[in-house]
Amino acid sequence: QVQLVESGGGLVQAGGSLRLSCAASGSTFSYYAMGWFRQAPGKERDFVAAISWTGARTDYADSVKGRFTISRDNAKNTVYLQMNSLKAEDTAVYYCGADRNAYSRNYRAYDSWGQGTQVTVSS
């Protein structure tokens, strides 16, 4: 099973940018589809973006399409989430997940999770 560690969160003003990273270890990273999800206090874990094993296919939630970009570097065992034009409603804990099957918008499909990184956007 793969172990995941997120980083790159922080406090940013509305309209600003952040890049999240998720470093994987313990298994063959390129075998996993990867996803980013977020969870605000008192809410469910929501899909943000996902990327296939090779990086050839991506998927985005409508709320972030055009502002966020998911990418991966299999040589570095890392997946990224570039977040631009941030809004207050993007505030949440962001988690990356690994899925041995095809990427999914359903968080229950993912096999492994990181500990999360807090993103706070001030308006």
Side-chain angles (χ1 to χ4, degrees):
Q1 198 170 19
V2 65
Q3 288 79 50
L4 304 172
V5 178
E6 302 95 335
S7 61
L11 174 63
V12 63
Q13 288 189 336
S17 298
L18 283 174
R19 188 176 82 153
L20 306 183
S21 299
C22 173
S25 63
S27 188
T28 305
F29 177 68
S30 59
Y31 289 173
Y32 290 84
M34 300 296 294
W36 284 98
F37 289 73
R38 64 189 181 188
Q39 190 166 17
K43 296 189 176 182
E44 286 198 346
R45 191 166 295 191
D46 290 333
F47 170 74
V48 175
I51 190 166
S52 63
W53 304 345
T54 63
R57 292 177 295 157
T58 57
D59 186 25
Y60 296 93
D62 288 344
S63 59
V64 307
K65 200 172 293 184
R67 299 188 298 122
F68 291 10
T69 302
I70 188 171
S71 62
R72 66 190 296 161
D73 185 338
N74 286 346
K76 295 183 178 180
N77 290 349
T78 303
V79 63
Y80 305 97
L81 185 68
Q82 177 67 43
M83 305 186 296
N84 299 329
S85 302
L86 282 161
K87 305 175 182 180
E89 51 263 43
D90 294 319
T91 295
V93 177
Y94 283 71
Y95 297 90
C96 69
D99 186 354
R100 282 299 302 265
N101 301 306
Y103 64 73
S104 171
R105 292 188 170 205
N106 183 355
Y107 73 87
R108 296 178 180 85
Y110 287 75
D111 306 299
S112 301
W113 292 98
Q115 82 289 348
T117 186
Q118 176 71 48
V119 171
T120 302
V121 183
S122 62
S123 55

